[in-house]
Amino acid sequence: MTEYTTVSIPKDLADRVDETIEGTSFSSTSDLVRFLLRSIVIQHQKQGKLTEAQFEEITGQLRDLGYLE
């Protein structure tokens, strides 16, 4: 089972994100934040900052969410 933690962002930013994701495949602010963070982590892995196992785990999660084919 996946464990989760809470990340706080200002309410006005959350409202702007809600408006931004309307009509997209993101169903919540959390979905968008997870996608963006994973994208950043993948970029860092390509620069050699993550292990191959970590990269594969992140890639698998993105694939499971439908962001990668």
Side-chain angles (χ1 to χ4, degrees), residues 44-61:
H44 283 274
Q45 191 281 330
K46 288 179 180 177
Q47 298 170 3
K49 300 204 192 285
L50 292 177
T51 67
E52 187 64 28
Q54 291 168 319
F55 177 75
E56 291 300 324
E57 179 181 349
I58 292 166
T59 302
Q61 291 172 347

Side-chain angles (χ1 to χ4, degrees), residues 3-69:
E3 292 184 42
Y4 291 90
T5 188
T6 301
V7 175
S8 298
I9 61 173
K11 177 74 170 113
D12 64 320
L13 178 57
D15 292 341
R16 289 172 47 198
V17 170
D18 286 341
E19 291 172 9
T20 301
I21 64 173
E22 280 184 32
T24 70
S25 62
F26 298 107
S27 62
S28 68
T29 299
S30 292
D31 283 348
L32 178 63
V33 170
R34 277 190 296 273
F35 172 77
L36 293 173
L37 289 174
R38 285 182 180 124
S39 297
I40 291 166
V41 169
I42 286 171
Q43 287 177 339
H44 283 274
Q45 191 281 330
K46 288 179 180 177
Q47 298 170 3
K49 300 204 192 285
L50 292 177
T51 67
E52 187 64 28
Q54 291 168 319
F55 177 75
E56 291 300 324
E57 179 181 349
I58 292 166
T59 302
Q61 291 172 347
L62 286 170
R63 191 172 289 112
D64 291 344
L65 291 169
Y67 296 123
L68 298 175
E69 295 180 2

